[in-house]
Amino acid sequence: MSLRATGYRLRATVGGAVFALAVLGFYGSAATITPISVEQEIAIGKEANAQFRKDMPELKNAAVARYIRDVGSRLARVATGPKYPYTVTVADTHDINAVALPGGPIWIHRGVLEKATNESQVASVLAHEIAHIARRHAATQLTTVAMTKWSLNLLGSLLGNAGGAGGAQVAPRFLAQGATLRFSRNEERDADRVGLELMSRAGWDGRGMVEMFELLRKEAGRNPTAVEAFFSTHPTPQDRIKELSAVVAAHRTGRRDSREFQVIKTRLLHNRKSG
């Protein structure tokens, strides 16, 4: 199904808000700012994912879910940083986008699977989102949100609760705040670089990442609404294509495609036409 404008705005608000939690939170006073623990981040992510699931339609197809879970698992196994409980869910929307939530959950839209021409392109999207989580890129953005819209003492009080209790209180508050964020150029560049390394270590050809950005650029000319959500939270691909092309030569070996991907793509496109 295609999303209407109101659905897109809701998704952008929810995705931006929970992604502001995605990687690093803070508690304490303005004079003493301390990162939340990985355990707290995971607890917040679990609650944020539950909230996100209420607003994002999930694709109910066991074969597709199993396939994308396998691709994500291969990448997660070679990720550095904290050992997050990474999960990948397919959103039943035809636009081209993906969202990383705090502590491991990732949503990839079925539009990515429908538009990609080979498996390495899909792997590049997941690798990029895993890199954002692994590198804890939301620190600067969350600091700004906390300093300008929140009482750090309140945030510290909420996060001071043990386990999931703190996460259950923080996640809805951030969602209700409607905070949005855009990663900096350096953070996106870093996620591209780290994602490319993850692809290579997991056995995929890194050219898939450049190809995906080329696909996004072409799709923007043909059907701007299909990439509207992506461009609302990511910089345009032109500069990233140029930067990646200079380093992708070192990552040109590995798997480019699979029969499994082509079967999944055909199934999704068939269901779309018959639905």
Side-chain angles (χ1 to χ4, degrees):
M1 70 179 190
S2 60
L3 292 178
R4 300 188 182 277
T6 53
Y8 161 69
R9 286 196 297 270
L10 173 62
R11 194 167 59 261
T13 298
V14 173
V18 289
F19 206 26
L21 291 170
V23 197
L24 195 58
F26 296 87
Y27 62 89
S29 66
T32 307
I33 300 176
T34 308
I36 64 172
S37 68
V38 171
E39 290 74 17
Q40 288 171 323
E41 183 184 352
I42 291 171
I44 292 169
K46 181 179 179 180
E47 294 296 329
N49 195 40
Q51 300 254 342
F52 195 82
R53 193 179 297 276
K54 295 177 182 178
D55 299 302
M56 178 67 75
E58 180 180 352
L59 180 68
K60 302 296 185 180
N61 185 300
V64 175
R66 183 169 54 251
Y67 168 77
I68 204 67
R69 192 164 55 240
D70 289 344
V71 174
S73 294
R74 286 180 59 183
L75 291 162
R77 281 196 294 269
V78 298
T80 57
K83 295 301 180 183
Y84 293 110
Y86 291 102
T87 61
V88 184
T89 306
V90 181
D92 194 9
T93 65
H94 298 294
D95 51 344
I96 304 172
N97 200 18
V99 177
L101 304 184
I106 295 169
W107 286 71
I108 184 170
H109 296 198
R110 69 179 287 172
V112 175
L113 298 169
E114 292 173 338
K115 289 296 182 179
T117 60
N118 63 61
E119 184 177 273
S120 67
Q121 295 168 10
V122 176
S124 77
V125 174
L126 294 180
H128 179 90
E129 300 303 331
I130 288 174
H132 271 311
I133 295 173
R135 299 287 284 179
R136 310 190 105 190
H137 278 160
T140 301
Q141 291 84 352
L142 183 54
T143 302
T144 301
V145 171
M147 292 293 287
T148 60
K149 296 186 178 183
W150 278 65
S151 160
L152 287 175
N153 287 327
L154 172 61
L155 187 59
S157 175
L158 293 173
L159 290 176
N161 292 320
Q169 295 181 71
V170 172
R173 286 174 178 265
F174 266 85
L175 292 173
Q177 183 65 57
T180 59
L181 73 98
R182 182 185 295 273
F183 285 116
S184 71
R185 183 175 296 275
N186 284 338
E187 288 163 339
E188 291 291 352
R189 184 185 295 117
D190 190 48
D192 288 344
R193 177 186 61 80
V194 173
L196 193 60
E197 293 172 357
L198 293 180
M199 288 181 67
S200 183
R201 289 202 295 269
W204 275 288
D205 190 323
R207 285 176 290 180
M209 185 172 286
V210 175
E211 292 168 357
M212 177 53 69
F213 287 130
E214 291 280 8
L215 186 152
L216 283 162
R217 183 166 64 177
K218 292 177 181 177
E219 193 67 20
R222 289 194 299 261
N223 182 16
T225 60
V227 293
E228 185 179 13
F230 177 88
F231 287 130
S232 74
T233 55
H234 295 77
T236 55
Q238 284 82 350
D239 291 342
R240 296 164 77 180
I241 291 171
K242 182 178 179 180
E243 293 167 0
L244 280 170
S245 296
V247 298
V248 77
H251 303 275
R252 290 173 63 92
T253 60
R255 177 165 164 168
R256 284 185 57 75
D257 204 6
S258 70
R259 181 177 181 276
E260 292 87 346
F261 167 71
Q262 294 300 332
V263 168
I264 289 298
K265 176 176 178 175
T266 299
R267 178 174 299 179
L268 286 174
L269 292 174
H270 175 75
N271 290 346
R272 182 173 185 173
K273 290 177 182 178
S274 61

